[in-house]
Amino acid sequence: MAVAVAAGPPASDSRVMMLFAPNHSAAFARSVAELLDHPLSPSEEREFDGGEHKMRPLADVQGRNVCVIQSTCGDAQASANDKLCRLLFFVGALKDAGAKHVTAVVPYLAYARKDRRTQPRDPVTTRYVAAMFEAAGIDRVVVLDVHNEAAFDNAFRCPTVRLEAAEVFATALAADLGGKSVVVASPDVGGVKRAQRMREILARQLGRDIDFAFVEKRRARGIVSGHALVGQVEGSEVVLYDDMIATGTTILRAAQAARRAGAAHVYVAAPHAAFAPAAMQIIEDNGADALLVSDSIALAPAFSSQVGERLRICSVAPLIARTITELFHPGAGD
């Protein structure tokens, strides 16, 4: 049995938002709670034989506005399916207990990449996840850097908030890039729009215009090919920006293409560090000079020793905390 209990606000004050998190996301949620100066409300989480589980609030949620923080990326502790079920079942319990309005803050949304049919009779899993969220009683969803914004918007019928970590990374990079020649690049054509926004934000941070490039990539039957870089990067600091890194194959190909084209240094930034063991190749000799990720996903143990060397964690907890404040207390930050 695993029990997570935290002191919370008085149950009698119906105006105070209640903040919960399952155990798998409790560390990140505590960071957000500290920034909000608003402790996590008490809850109990229990495990049963066969992998079943339950979670219930230990405080009265009748008529309350509730926020639940849970990232749903699978890891060594729990699968994406397990984390998704825990979130859905807990929201159901909150609604059964009389919660008035439930906001799910899901920094990493599982199945967001399966947003279209690529083969006959393929599932569109993003849409099914959205239907389950709404069936469980989730009134609003907050996500960070979804893979396909249009597909996400089309899948959900409840109100949604899409956050971007680009400003967080631009602030971290600006100190390193100073007056140097800078190029922001996308590792593939599909990420051009996302990387273009990063270019605009970084240019604003640096107070000057910066160039853009992208790398050709083709995928057929699971095999990735193509390595041409479109754009001028010779002698420049290249910032490769993508939404997530799993095996790191796409990013590594792009980094190597930038080096062949004469880049002075290669920085890689991605909000979601869904690292598979193979992702270590990105910070090996021929990979990136620096790899910046957020804490939307807990860092895999194999990568923890790299923090402070070439791997940097840029926390999105302040971004999440500001968003929660704006949603539950409009105008409080003005």
Side-chain angles (χ1 to χ4, degrees):
M1 180 180 72
V3 179
V5 178
S12 59
D13 189 352
S14 62
R15 297 167 298 176
V16 179
M17 177 268 298
M18 300 181 74
L19 185 64
F20 291 93
N23 285 334
H24 293 121
S25 293
F28 178 76
R30 280 193 291 268
S31 298
V32 174
E34 288 174 6
L35 291 166
L36 290 169
D37 193 23
H38 188 106
L40 294 177
S41 293
S43 60
E44 177 191 41
E45 196 165 345
R46 297 183 61 188
E47 313 292 330
F48 300 99
D49 292 341
E52 297 182 10
H53 49 77
K54 81 167 186 178
M55 181 176 177
R56 68 185 179 104
L58 293 179
D60 185 7
V61 298
Q62 179 72 39
R64 304 291 291 277
N65 293 321
V66 177
C67 182
V68 182
I69 299 176
Q70 168 79 318
S71 206
T72 56
C73 181
D75 56 27
Q77 283 69 51
S79 69
N81 297 335
D82 193 10
K83 293 182 180 181
L84 186 60
C85 281
R86 288 172 190 262
L87 172 61
L88 295 173
F89 295 167
F90 182 54
V91 170
L94 290 169
K95 284 291 190 173
D96 284 349
K100 177 182 178 182
H101 186 282
V102 177
T103 294
V105 176
V106 190
Y108 177 83
L109 178 65
Y111 297 106
R113 288 179 288 174
K114 191 60 184 123
D115 53 32
R116 61 192 175 93
R117 292 188 177 91
T118 55
Q119 300 180 66
R121 298 171 295 282
D122 246 6
V124 185
T125 319
T126 302
R127 182 160 54 83
Y128 312 153
V129 169
M132 288 190 288
F133 272 42
E134 290 156 15
I138 293 174
D139 299 288
R140 177 169 54 202
V141 180
V142 178
V143 295
L144 177 73
D145 284 288
V146 290
H147 184 66
N148 184 323
E149 295 175 353
F152 173 82
D153 290 344
N154 288 333
F156 282 83
R157 298 293 177 265
C158 66
T160 59
V161 178
R162 288 191 280 100
L163 304 178
E164 294 183 331
E167 191 86 40
V168 175
F169 290 120
T171 300
L173 286 164
D176 292 342
L177 300 176
K180 301 174 184 177
S181 173
V182 179
V183 178
V184 171
S186 172
D188 55 31
V189 175
V192 163
K193 184 178 179 181
R194 179 184 302 105
Q196 283 280 21
R197 287 200 297 272
M198 176 63 171
R199 182 190 67 81
E200 294 167 3
I201 293 169
L202 185 56
R204 189 169 65 247
Q205 292 261 4
L206 295 173
R208 55 188 168 85
D209 194 25
I210 56 179
D211 291 327
F212 186 77
F214 67 90
V215 180
E216 172 199 25
K217 185 182 86 168
R218 298 185 297 274
R219 186 187 299 273
R221 299 184 183 277
I223 299 174
V224 176
S225 61
H227 53 77
L229 186 145
V230 179
Q232 179 58 251
V233 303
E234 185 173 2
S236 296
E237 310 294 305
V238 175
V239 177
L240 284 166
Y241 192 61
D242 207 354
D243 63 323
M244 70 175 294
I245 298 172
T247 62
T249 302
T250 296
I251 283 287
L252 182 62
R253 292 174 64 86
Q256 291 171 342
R259 290 192 185 282
R260 286 194 298 269
H265 297 96
V266 177
Y267 297 79
V268 169
H272 303 305
F275 290 154
M280 189 66 76
Q281 64 187 324
I282 302 172
I283 47 180
E284 292 175 347
D285 291 341
N286 201 31
D289 295 291
L291 171 59
L292 288 73
V293 297
S294 86
D295 50 358
S296 68
I297 298 172
L299 197 64
F303 291 84
S304 298
S305 62
Q306 299 293 329
V307 176
E309 298 176 12
R310 281 197 283 178
L311 178 61
R312 306 184 203 170
I313 299 177
C314 303
S315 181
V316 291
L319 173 62
I320 298 292
R322 286 197 304 272
T323 301
I324 291 174
T325 298
E326 291 166 3
L327 291 174
F328 288 92
H329 306 286
D334 294 346

